[in-house]
């Protein structure tokens, strides 16, 4: 239903992305999902085509790789709309720890011991950190929100099971 309602926005976003640099409209990326399963997520492309010519990089607040339309898409989170396909396929939920790229996930687990805890729940299109307005946090700070979400999910699951 949400995809149908968003069709005009999807259409207009696609046109603006294409007209900015005549590059691809969608961007896909490999991420680590539930129990470490590798998934491919889809997003509207918000960065220049050559954004990762120097390798994988963590996006910065004023990242020069972000296109003009990309700034708008990211600010409004419209770049995430194609991930509704991942939700339909059961790879993502609406809310949960954000799925991370395998390379970055492996790097973060070296310095953030509890980072693997995120793999115990279905990753989300949005995370608790983003919902609470803390989008630009470092991974070591976001993990606190992720752990809080995981604990709440465990508590709610136990409560629901107790009802049966």
């Amino acid at each position: 239903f949400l995809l149908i309602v968003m069709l005009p926005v999807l259409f207009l976003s696609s046109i603006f992305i294409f007209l900015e640099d005549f590059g691809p409209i969608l961007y896909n990326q490999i991420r680590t999902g539930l129990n470490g399963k590798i998934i491919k997520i889809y997003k509207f492309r918000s960065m220049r085509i050559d954004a990762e010519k120097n390798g994988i990089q963590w996006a910065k607040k004023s990242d020069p790789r972000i296109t003009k339309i990309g700034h708008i898409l990211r600010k409004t989170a419209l770049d995430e709309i194609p991930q509704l396909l991942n939700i339909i396929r059961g790879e993502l939920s609406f809310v949960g720890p954000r799925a991370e790229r395998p390379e970055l996930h492996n790097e973060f687990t070296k310095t953030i011991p509890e980072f693997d805890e995120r793999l115990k729940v279905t990753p989300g299109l949005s995370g608790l950190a983003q919902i609470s307005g803390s989008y630009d946090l470092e991974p070591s700070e976001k993990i606190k929100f992720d752990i809080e979400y995981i604990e709440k999910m465990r508590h709610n699951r136990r409560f629901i099971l107790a009802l049966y």
Side-chain angles (χ1 to χ4, degrees), residues 8 12 21-23 26-27 30 32 60-61 68 81 83 91-92 96-97 101 107 109 120 133-134 139 154 160:
L12 287 173
D21 61 9
F22 301 104
L26 290 178
Y27 172 74
I30 301 300
T32 306
K60 301 170 188 74
K61 188 170 185 164
K68 291 174 188 168
I81 297 292
Q83 289 179 56
E91 299 166 330
L92 293 179
R101 297 171 82 165
E107 191 63 35
T109 56
K120 293 181 178 178
S134 304
R154 282 184 188 148
I160 290 169

Side-chain angles (χ1 to χ4, degrees), residues 16 30 45 47 73 81 102 104 111-113 117 122 146-149 153 161:
F16 288 126
I30 301 300
R45 185 175 56 85
M47 291 191 174
L73 292 172
I81 297 292
L104 293 175
T111 57
I112 308 168
E117 289 292 309
T122 303
D146 293 338
I147 298 297
E148 179 183 344
Y149 174 83
M153 289 302 293
L161 289 174

Side-chain angles (χ1 to χ4, degrees), residues 30-40 89-91 99-100 102 119 123:
I30 301 300
R31 300 284 180 99
T32 306
L34 179 65
N35 298 320
K37 180 183 175 192
I38 300 300
I39 60 174
K40 185 187 286 189
R89 294 190 333 207
E91 299 166 330
E100 196 53 76
L119 302 179

Side-chain angles (χ1 to χ4, degrees), residues 74-90:
R74 284 174 169 233
K75 192 168 197 86
T76 58
L78 290 174
D79 62 323
E80 310 282 355
I81 297 292
Q83 289 179 56
L84 291 173
L85 295 172
N86 295 100
I87 291 173
I88 291 168
R89 294 190 333 207

Side-chain angles (χ1 to χ4, degrees), residues 35-83:
N35 298 320
K37 180 183 175 192
I38 300 300
I39 60 174
K40 185 187 286 189
I41 65 153
Y42 301 92
K43 297 177 86 168
F44 277 129
R45 185 175 56 85
S46 61
M47 291 191 174
R48 295 189 329 249
I49 298 167
D50 65 348
E52 294 192 330
K53 66 182 177 190
N54 297 322
I56 296 171
Q57 300 172 43
W58 187 260
K60 301 170 188 74
K61 188 170 185 164
S62 298
D63 201 314
R65 301 173 299 158
I66 300 173
T67 62
K68 291 174 188 168
I69 187 67
H71 281 289
I72 296 167
L73 292 172
R74 284 174 169 233
K75 192 168 197 86
T76 58
L78 290 174
D79 62 323
E80 310 282 355
I81 297 292
Q83 289 179 56

